[in-house]
Amino acid sequence: MNKNNELDIQVELTEGDIEIIKRYVNKIQFPDVYVELGTAQGGSALVAREATNKDVEIYSIDILDRLHSKARNRTDIKFIVSPSVEVAKIWDGFKKIKVLFIDANHDKAKEDFLVWEKHLTKDAIVIFHDYAVHSPQVVMDCDELFNNNPNYEILFVPDSSINRTGITSIYQVQKLGTKILE
């Protein structure tokens, strides 16, 4: 866990994780949006909000309402308390997602990805937190989804034998199209 001094909130991300989120979200341009699945206390949504243009909408979805007061009081982040698969069903015709951060139920990362994939822009970034030994299902899901998948480019695969104390446990892919990063 990392104590982010600017946010004064416990964030379950390493400094490397925070930098990865910032790197991708600061490239988002309106009308595209950032969506994260798995809110916890809301720290990663606050990180994303700090790093994006103010006109870009930030959505954080979780089945539980465990928000820290610093997150709960924000009106510039849309916190949705509902199962992510249910929200995905009603997202049709809504906003296109440029960055999707999956960090909800670690036993259902593949399911989360599959229901949200149709809402991604053609060059979206998808990042999966906890590609690590403590979350073996995330590792299996990412490997199954993206190894030899011609529709996605794998940008970074963390060493899955390292726990959160490593630089990052964020697995990163980009849907084929024009790249965000060069």
Side-chain angles (χ1 to χ4, degrees):
M1 251 195 275
N2 177 33
K3 176 83 170 176
N4 188 323
N5 293 332
E6 294 174 5
L7 301 175
D8 193 30
I9 183 174
Q10 289 288 67
V11 179
E12 293 186 11
L13 301 168
T14 66
E15 289 295 327
D17 295 341
I18 290 170
E19 290 308 311
I20 288 165
I21 292 168
K22 287 180 177 181
R23 175 187 325 147
Y24 293 127
V25 299
N26 75 12
K27 305 290 185 192
I28 303 172
Q29 297 295 317
F30 179 83
D32 296 332
V33 300
Y34 168 85
V35 172
E36 68 178 24
L37 310 179
T39 302
Q41 293 185 40
S44 57
L46 293 171
V47 168
R49 174 77 284 159
E50 282 185 353
T52 66
N53 297 322
K54 297 305 173 198
D55 60 345
V56 171
E57 293 179 341
I58 305 290
Y59 293 86
S60 186
I61 303 162
D62 201 307
I63 194 167
L64 300 173
D65 184 358
R66 304 171 289 188
L67 287 175
H68 185 280
S69 61
K70 291 225 183 250
R72 186 176 308 283
N73 296 330
R74 297 296 293 256
T75 58
D76 56 349
I77 301 171
K78 292 163 181 62
F79 292 103
I80 301 169
V81 180
S82 185
S84 66
V85 294
E86 296 304 315
V87 177
K89 290 176 187 175
I90 60 171
W91 196 271
D92 281 343
F94 199 52
K95 308 201 177 194
K96 288 305 235 178
I97 300 168
K98 184 64 108 182
V99 177
L100 176 63
F101 180 34
I102 299 176
D103 188 20
N105 183 336
H106 293 151
D107 291 330
K108 297 187 177 190
K110 179 179 177 180
E111 180 182 344
D112 279 333
F113 172 77
L114 292 174
V115 298
W116 283 93
E117 181 182 26
K118 66 183 175 183
H119 305 298
L120 299 173
T121 63
K122 68 177 180 175
D123 58 352
I125 297 290
V126 183
I127 54 180
F128 292 81
H129 193 238
D130 292 320
Y131 183 94
V133 68
H134 64 272
S135 298
Q137 190 63 49
V138 173
V139 174
M140 288 188 291
D141 287 351
C142 289
D143 291 348
E144 183 180 326
L145 285 165
F146 302 109
N147 286 348
N148 302 311
N149 184 334
N151 298 314
Y152 287 85
E153 177 183 352
I154 298 172
L155 302 175
F156 182 76
V157 178
D159 180 345
S160 64
S161 67
I162 297 174
N163 275 313
R164 282 191 196 139
T165 56
I167 296 170
T168 186
S169 66
I170 293 182
Y171 184 97
Q172 305 156 49
V173 297
Q174 183 169 29
K175 191 172 180 182
L176 291 181
T178 307
K179 291 185 181 184
I180 289 178
L181 298 179
E182 298 176 1

